[in-house]
Amino acid sequence: MRKMYVDNQWGYDVKQTNPFWIALYNLREVAKESVGEENVLDLSRGDPGYGFAPSTEGRAFYSYLLFIDTVLNNSGTHFVYTDTPYEEVMATIKTETEKNYSAEQAKANLDMLNHYIKELVRIAGEQGINYSERDVLFHTFKYASVSGGCYHDYQGEELCRAVVADFYTQELGEKIIADDLVFVRGVSDGIGTFFKLMGAEGIGFLKEGDTVLSSSPAYSPYNNIFLSRGLNVVSVSIDNKTGDLDEKSIKTIEEYEGRIKCIVLIDPNNPTGHLAPDGFKKRIVETAEKHNSIILTDEVYSSFFADMKSVFNSAKKRTLRINARSKIERSTGLRFGDYLLPEASNKFMTEEILADYLPKGSNLKLALMQAKAPGGIKGEFMHTTFVTGPSQFLGISHIIFGQKSRDMYTRMVREATSVFADHLGVEYEGNTYYSVFDMNEIASEEKRALPAEEKFYQLAKRGVVLIPAYMFYSEVDKNNHSLENRARACLPNLPLEKVKEAADITKEYLAS
């Protein structure tokens, strides 16, 4: 049922209403009622699972892990308490596999299992973790881990952290080890936990009136966090078409006389889909050094840019990096994210930035692990702060078996972004995943005169759901520009032909 948030004919106001509420509970319902759910062209949410399924290979292997789990953990046996030699365990698995699968599928499953075991032995060895082949089996199936049979370590299981660390080692070109990571329930949980810890209810590092630096536009929940916590925001304006920076806003930051305690960098940017220019990241590092700031970098879209240089590489001592499996693996429902916080970074930020705020004997890493527990920042439910076992092992199944799928998906998303711009009649500037455009730049004179709410509503009536982008922008940008008609489109939500259809319907309505 469509929800009405304000008392007007559309039920929302792009300047006041949470844009995600508008899209999900208002516009999407309008579209469903008008064209039927199966015909809705929803470009409002950043959930790639709407348009692309997670890797077939990763899911196939995980389903096999679940089968093995029933062999090794059942009413008659619990693997963690057995001392059966590795060869005998593997023989049992082989027998049960051949009994329950066709000969062809049994061979494929056993081959994948052998690859998984050898790959994890290799990864662990390269990280200085001495795992034998039986150790890999033990840490995979202890306590029915892959089935969700137990709570997990609140930092995340070492075996899974090792696989993610190996993935980031390749991506960042820096040696990352398992102990550098703390798992969180997706990037959103990581963001919320950080500000819960840093805020007045936590250690008080970011109190009302303190200053943070952010970009504009930025993922709107960040702006809501800044507003609700009474934080002062200085911002750098990004051209949503090109990804270039407004030099005037850069100069304002360089001349800012107060203390900037935290710099929030969303790179690649949501909602523009552009990488932050290297020159901007250099200035971010210089500003952080000048103000002794913590850099919080949200890089959940990093895997879509093979040549990306992370701010972590040049400012690791003061950078907390957040990432997740969700976007590149098309698995937002896994809720499987992480903080990257190496020992040297933890030490520097603990001793050189947060020494007057953290309790004696604590450190940033421990405080984050305690704060991600439900209820508060002192670890009241710390034993339940795991990313669930099924999410961890499905996630690493995608990592180990999904490279071909990731490469194909990255190409498809880039093509979808380009095709959307072409059919909409706007210039493509190398952005990916998202596209931000001003409806009035496409609209006829008659349509330009209509309120933005009417245009979003009428597009939904035609089946196309976009998210209003007004609240993604800073107060400075809102004062300097007319932003009510800005819309964000999430392109992985639809197959290519549907992307074309959505762009064509949007252009046809606006230009008519």
PDB file of all heavy atoms in Angstrom, residues 4 9 52 57 98 135 146 176 187 214 235 249 278 294 306 312 321 324 390-391 436 470 492 501:
ATOM      1  N   MET A   4       1.737   7.787   2.493  1.00  0.00           N
ATOM      2  CA  MET A   4       1.669   9.231   2.294  1.00  0.00           C
ATOM      3  C   MET A   4       2.441   9.900   3.431  1.00  0.00           C
ATOM      4  O   MET A   4       2.095   9.752   4.600  1.00  0.00           O
ATOM      5  CB  MET A   4       0.210   9.693   2.278  1.00  0.00           C
ATOM      6  CG  MET A   4      -0.682   8.928   1.297  1.00  0.00           C
ATOM      7  SD  MET A   4      -0.255   9.199  -0.435  1.00  0.00           S
ATOM      8  CE  MET A   4      -1.061  10.795  -0.683  1.00  0.00           C
ATOM      9  N   GLN A   9      -0.739  16.006  -3.037  1.00  0.00           N
ATOM     10  CA  GLN A   9      -1.357  15.016  -3.915  1.00  0.00           C
ATOM     11  C   GLN A   9      -0.452  13.830  -4.221  1.00  0.00           C
ATOM     12  O   GLN A   9      -0.916  12.796  -4.691  1.00  0.00           O
ATOM     13  CB  GLN A   9      -1.798  15.690  -5.223  1.00  0.00           C
ATOM     14  CG  GLN A   9      -0.652  16.228  -6.080  1.00  0.00           C
ATOM     15  CD  GLN A   9      -1.152  17.157  -7.164  1.00  0.00           C
ATOM     16  OE1 GLN A   9      -1.233  18.368  -6.983  1.00  0.00           O
ATOM     17  NE2 GLN A   9      -1.517  16.590  -8.286  1.00  0.00           N
ATOM     18  N   PHE A  52      20.510  -9.084 -11.431  1.00  0.00           N
ATOM     19  CA  PHE A  52      21.522 -10.099 -11.701  1.00  0.00           C
ATOM     20  C   PHE A  52      21.637 -11.036 -10.503  1.00  0.00           C
ATOM     21  O   PHE A  52      21.804 -10.582  -9.372  1.00  0.00           O
ATOM     22  CB  PHE A  52      22.889  -9.450 -11.962  1.00  0.00           C
ATOM     23  CG  PHE A  52      22.930  -8.579 -13.177  1.00  0.00           C
ATOM     24  CD1 PHE A  52      22.661  -7.226 -13.097  1.00  0.00           C
ATOM     25  CD2 PHE A  52      23.234  -9.114 -14.420  1.00  0.00           C
ATOM     26  CE1 PHE A  52      22.698  -6.413 -14.213  1.00  0.00           C
ATOM     27  CE2 PHE A  52      23.271  -8.314 -15.550  1.00  0.00           C
ATOM     28  CZ  PHE A  52      22.997  -6.963 -15.444  1.00  0.00           C
ATOM     29  N   GLU A  57      28.437 -20.479  -9.886  1.00  0.00           N
ATOM     30  CA  GLU A  57      29.463 -21.384  -9.358  1.00  0.00           C
ATOM     31  C   GLU A  57      29.551 -21.291  -7.834  1.00  0.00           C
ATOM     32  O   GLU A  57      29.670 -22.309  -7.142  1.00  0.00           O
ATOM     33  CB  GLU A  57      30.827 -21.052  -9.981  1.00  0.00           C
ATOM     34  CG  GLU A  57      30.909 -21.282 -11.469  1.00  0.00           C
ATOM     35  CD  GLU A  57      30.353 -20.117 -12.293  1.00  0.00           C
ATOM     36  OE1 GLU A  57      29.933 -19.095 -11.687  1.00  0.00           O
ATOM     37  OE2 GLU A  57      30.329 -20.226 -13.534  1.00  0.00           O
ATOM     38  N   GLU A  98      28.832 -39.697  -4.040  1.00  0.00           N
ATOM     39  CA  GLU A  98      28.521 -40.577  -5.162  1.00  0.00           C
ATOM     40  C   GLU A  98      27.172 -41.284  -4.971  1.00  0.00           C
ATOM     41  O   GLU A  98      26.506 -41.646  -5.937  1.00  0.00           O
ATOM     42  CB  GLU A  98      29.645 -41.596  -5.333  1.00  0.00           C
ATOM     43  CG  GLU A  98      30.940 -40.944  -5.833  1.00  0.00           C
ATOM     44  CD  GLU A  98      32.116 -41.905  -5.871  1.00  0.00           C
ATOM     45  OE1 GLU A  98      32.025 -42.969  -5.209  1.00  0.00           O
ATOM     46  OE2 GLU A  98      33.130 -41.582  -6.520  1.00  0.00           O
ATOM     47  N   ASP A 135      42.732 -29.136   8.631  1.00  0.00           N
ATOM     48  CA  ASP A 135      42.378 -27.903   9.328  1.00  0.00           C
ATOM     49  C   ASP A 135      41.319 -27.117   8.557  1.00  0.00           C
ATOM     50  O   ASP A 135      40.408 -26.527   9.155  1.00  0.00           O
ATOM     51  CB  ASP A 135      43.613 -27.025   9.527  1.00  0.00           C
ATOM     52  CG  ASP A 135      44.584 -27.597  10.549  1.00  0.00           C
ATOM     53  OD1 ASP A 135      44.137 -28.321  11.450  1.00  0.00           O
ATOM     54  OD2 ASP A 135      45.787 -27.309  10.421  1.00  0.00           O
ATOM     55  N   VAL A 146      28.665 -23.869   8.438  1.00  0.00           N
ATOM     56  CA  VAL A 146      28.075 -23.426   7.177  1.00  0.00           C
ATOM     57  C   VAL A 146      26.553 -23.465   7.210  1.00  0.00           C
ATOM     58  O   VAL A 146      25.895 -22.871   6.361  1.00  0.00           O
ATOM     59  CB  VAL A 146      28.595 -24.251   5.971  1.00  0.00           C
ATOM     60  CG1 VAL A 146      30.095 -24.143   5.832  1.00  0.00           C
ATOM     61  CG2 VAL A 146      28.167 -25.700   6.071  1.00  0.00           C
ATOM     62  N   ILE A 176      47.526  -7.676   2.956  1.00  0.00           N
ATOM     63  CA  ILE A 176      46.474  -7.630   3.968  1.00  0.00           C
ATOM     64  C   ILE A 176      46.388  -9.015   4.594  1.00  0.00           C
ATOM     65  O   ILE A 176      46.415 -10.022   3.886  1.00  0.00           O
ATOM     66  CB  ILE A 176      45.106  -7.251   3.346  1.00  0.00           C
ATOM     67  CG1 ILE A 176      45.220  -5.976   2.520  1.00  0.00           C
ATOM     68  CG2 ILE A 176      44.043  -7.131   4.427  1.00  0.00           C
ATOM     69  CD1 ILE A 176      45.647  -4.758   3.277  1.00  0.00           C
ATOM     70  N   VAL A 187      28.042  -2.802   4.835  1.00  0.00           N
ATOM     71  CA  VAL A 187      28.628  -1.473   4.983  1.00  0.00           C
ATOM     72  C   VAL A 187      27.745  -0.577   5.851  1.00  0.00           C
ATOM     73  O   VAL A 187      28.237   0.204   6.663  1.00  0.00           O
ATOM     74  CB  VAL A 187      28.872  -0.840   3.598  1.00  0.00           C
ATOM     75  CG1 VAL A 187      29.220   0.636   3.727  1.00  0.00           C
ATOM     76  CG2 VAL A 187      30.010  -1.569   2.880  1.00  0.00           C
ATOM     77  N   SER A 214      32.917  16.043   3.902  1.00  0.00           N
ATOM     78  CA  SER A 214      32.287  15.057   3.042  1.00  0.00           C
ATOM     79  C   SER A 214      32.205  15.610   1.634  1.00  0.00           C
ATOM     80  O   SER A 214      32.524  16.780   1.383  1.00  0.00           O
ATOM     81  CB  SER A 214      30.889  14.712   3.566  1.00  0.00           C
ATOM     82  OG  SER A 214      30.291  13.685   2.792  1.00  0.00           O
ATOM     83  N   SER A 235      31.964  20.670   2.757  1.00  0.00           N
ATOM     84  CA  SER A 235      31.827  19.710   1.670  1.00  0.00           C
ATOM     85  C   SER A 235      32.567  20.148   0.412  1.00  0.00           C
ATOM     86  O   SER A 235      32.776  21.345   0.185  1.00  0.00           O
ATOM     87  CB  SER A 235      30.346  19.476   1.339  1.00  0.00           C
ATOM     88  OG  SER A 235      29.750  20.676   0.898  1.00  0.00           O
ATOM     89  N   SER A 249      35.073  25.006  -3.849  1.00  0.00           N
ATOM     90  CA  SER A 249      34.821  24.300  -2.590  1.00  0.00           C
ATOM     91  C   SER A 249      36.105  23.687  -2.036  1.00  0.00           C
ATOM     92  O   SER A 249      36.288  23.601  -0.815  1.00  0.00           O
ATOM     93  CB  SER A 249      33.749  23.224  -2.780  1.00  0.00           C
ATOM     94  OG  SER A 249      34.148  22.234  -3.696  1.00  0.00           O
ATOM     95  N   ASP A 278      42.477  11.271  -8.527  1.00  0.00           N
ATOM     96  CA  ASP A 278      43.665  11.052  -7.698  1.00  0.00           C
ATOM     97  C   ASP A 278      44.118  12.341  -7.021  1.00  0.00           C
ATOM     98  O   ASP A 278      44.588  12.325  -5.880  1.00  0.00           O
ATOM     99  CB  ASP A 278      44.801  10.479  -8.559  1.00  0.00           C
ATOM    100  CG  ASP A 278      44.537   9.040  -8.975  1.00  0.00           C
ATOM    101  OD1 ASP A 278      43.675   8.386  -8.344  1.00  0.00           O
ATOM    102  OD2 ASP A 278      45.175   8.575  -9.933  1.00  0.00           O
ATOM    103  N   ILE A 294      40.639  11.451  11.194  1.00  0.00           N
ATOM    104  CA  ILE A 294      40.390  10.073  10.777  1.00  0.00           C
ATOM    105  C   ILE A 294      39.720  10.117   9.410  1.00  0.00           C
ATOM    106  O   ILE A 294      38.826  10.933   9.174  1.00  0.00           O
ATOM    107  CB  ILE A 294      39.480   9.345  11.784  1.00  0.00           C
ATOM    108  CG1 ILE A 294      40.237   9.056  13.078  1.00  0.00           C
ATOM    109  CG2 ILE A 294      38.934   8.046  11.194  1.00  0.00           C
ATOM    110  CD1 ILE A 294      39.391   8.386  14.143  1.00  0.00           C
ATOM    111  N   ALA A 306      39.129  -1.491 -12.056  1.00  0.00           N
ATOM    112  CA  ALA A 306      40.371  -2.265 -11.908  1.00  0.00           C
ATOM    113  C   ALA A 306      41.568  -1.381 -11.599  1.00  0.00           C
ATOM    114  O   ALA A 306      42.530  -1.820 -10.962  1.00  0.00           O
ATOM    115  CB  ALA A 306      40.625  -3.071 -13.187  1.00  0.00           C
ATOM    116  N   PHE A 312      43.416   4.512   1.133  1.00  0.00           N
ATOM    117  CA  PHE A 312      44.069   3.659   2.131  1.00  0.00           C
ATOM    118  C   PHE A 312      45.545   3.466   1.802  1.00  0.00           C
ATOM    119  O   PHE A 312      46.385   3.419   2.712  1.00  0.00           O
ATOM    120  CB  PHE A 312      43.370   2.301   2.185  1.00  0.00           C
ATOM    121  CG  PHE A 312      44.064   1.274   3.023  1.00  0.00           C
ATOM    122  CD1 PHE A 312      43.844   1.220   4.389  1.00  0.00           C
ATOM    123  CD2 PHE A 312      44.942   0.360   2.457  1.00  0.00           C
ATOM    124  CE1 PHE A 312      44.495   0.275   5.177  1.00  0.00           C
ATOM    125  CE2 PHE A 312      45.591  -0.586   3.237  1.00  0.00           C
ATOM    126  CZ  PHE A 312      45.373  -0.632   4.599  1.00  0.00           C
ATOM    127  N   ARG A 321      38.881   1.671   6.388  1.00  0.00           N
ATOM    128  CA  ARG A 321      38.230   1.344   5.112  1.00  0.00           C
ATOM    129  C   ARG A 321      37.078   0.377   5.347  1.00  0.00           C
ATOM    130  O   ARG A 321      37.216  -0.611   6.058  1.00  0.00           O
ATOM    131  CB  ARG A 321      39.258   0.698   4.167  1.00  0.00           C
ATOM    132  CG  ARG A 321      38.722   0.331   2.782  1.00  0.00           C
ATOM    133  CD  ARG A 321      39.845  -0.324   1.973  1.00  0.00           C
ATOM    134  NE  ARG A 321      39.499  -0.551   0.583  1.00  0.00           N
ATOM    135  CZ  ARG A 321      39.236  -1.747   0.048  1.00  0.00           C
ATOM    136  NH1 ARG A 321      39.251  -2.823   0.814  1.00  0.00           N
ATOM    137  NH2 ARG A 321      38.971  -1.861  -1.228  1.00  0.00           N
ATOM    138  N   ALA A 324      32.506  -4.515   1.318  1.00  0.00           N
ATOM    139  CA  ALA A 324      31.565  -5.621   1.504  1.00  0.00           C
ATOM    140  C   ALA A 324      31.555  -6.503   0.271  1.00  0.00           C
ATOM    141  O   ALA A 324      32.003  -6.135  -0.805  1.00  0.00           O
ATOM    142  CB  ALA A 324      30.158  -5.090   1.788  1.00  0.00           C
ATOM    143  N   PRO A 390      26.535 -19.008   7.624  1.00  0.00           N
ATOM    144  CA  PRO A 390      26.108 -19.174   6.236  1.00  0.00           C
ATOM    145  C   PRO A 390      26.543 -18.014   5.349  1.00  0.00           C
ATOM    146  O   PRO A 390      26.964 -18.229   4.206  1.00  0.00           O
ATOM    147  CB  PRO A 390      24.582 -19.260   6.353  1.00  0.00           C
ATOM    148  CG  PRO A 390      24.353 -19.862   7.702  1.00  0.00           C
ATOM    149  CD  PRO A 390      25.415 -19.263   8.575  1.00  0.00           C
ATOM    150  N   SER A 391      26.468 -16.781   5.842  1.00  0.00           N
ATOM    151  CA  SER A 391      26.891 -15.632   5.042  1.00  0.00           C
ATOM    152  C   SER A 391      28.392 -15.671   4.779  1.00  0.00           C
ATOM    153  O   SER A 391      28.856 -15.384   3.673  1.00  0.00           O
ATOM    154  CB  SER A 391      26.521 -14.329   5.750  1.00  0.00           C
ATOM    155  OG  SER A 391      25.128 -14.115   5.721  1.00  0.00           O
ATOM    156  N   VAL A 436      23.378   9.849 -12.429  1.00  0.00           N
ATOM    157  CA  VAL A 436      22.591  10.947 -11.892  1.00  0.00           C
ATOM    158  C   VAL A 436      22.313  11.926 -13.022  1.00  0.00           C
ATOM    159  O   VAL A 436      23.229  12.315 -13.754  1.00  0.00           O
ATOM    160  CB  VAL A 436      23.329  11.664 -10.738  1.00  0.00           C
ATOM    161  CG1 VAL A 436      22.543  12.894 -10.278  1.00  0.00           C
ATOM    162  CG2 VAL A 436      23.535  10.717  -9.577  1.00  0.00           C
ATOM    163  N   TYR A 470      17.794  14.795  -4.371  1.00  0.00           N
ATOM    164  CA  TYR A 470      17.962  16.090  -3.702  1.00  0.00           C
ATOM    165  C   TYR A 470      18.698  15.955  -2.372  1.00  0.00           C
ATOM    166  O   TYR A 470      19.617  16.719  -2.066  1.00  0.00           O
ATOM    167  CB  TYR A 470      16.588  16.730  -3.473  1.00  0.00           C
ATOM    168  CG  TYR A 470      16.631  18.072  -2.782  1.00  0.00           C
ATOM    169  CD1 TYR A 470      16.829  19.239  -3.503  1.00  0.00           C
ATOM    170  CD2 TYR A 470      16.449  18.161  -1.393  1.00  0.00           C
ATOM    171  CE1 TYR A 470      16.855  20.475  -2.866  1.00  0.00           C
ATOM    172  CE2 TYR A 470      16.484  19.386  -0.747  1.00  0.00           C
ATOM    173  CZ  TYR A 470      16.686  20.544  -1.492  1.00  0.00           C
ATOM    174  OH  TYR A 470      16.729  21.764  -0.853  1.00  0.00           O
ATOM    175  N   PRO A 492      22.472  -1.703 -12.245  1.00  0.00           N
ATOM    176  CA  PRO A 492      22.505  -3.167 -12.120  1.00  0.00           C
ATOM    177  C   PRO A 492      21.156  -3.780 -11.752  1.00  0.00           C
ATOM    178  O   PRO A 492      21.037  -4.997 -11.686  1.00  0.00           O
ATOM    179  CB  PRO A 492      23.529  -3.407 -10.997  1.00  0.00           C
ATOM    180  CG  PRO A 492      24.328  -2.172 -10.925  1.00  0.00           C
ATOM    181  CD  PRO A 492      23.384  -1.076 -11.268  1.00  0.00           C
ATOM    182  N   GLU A 501      14.641   0.054 -22.010  1.00  0.00           N
ATOM    183  CA  GLU A 501      13.217   0.358 -21.928  1.00  0.00           C
ATOM    184  C   GLU A 501      12.953   1.457 -20.902  1.00  0.00           C
ATOM    185  O   GLU A 501      12.161   2.387 -21.156  1.00  0.00           O
ATOM    186  CB  GLU A 501      12.436  -0.911 -21.561  1.00  0.00           C
ATOM    187  CG  GLU A 501      10.931  -0.730 -21.536  1.00  0.00           C
ATOM    188  CD  GLU A 501      10.197  -2.010 -21.146  1.00  0.00           C
ATOM    189  OE1 GLU A 501      10.834  -3.078 -21.062  1.00  0.00           O
ATOM    190  OE2 GLU A 501       8.974  -1.909 -20.905  1.00  0.00           O
TER     191      GLU A 501
END
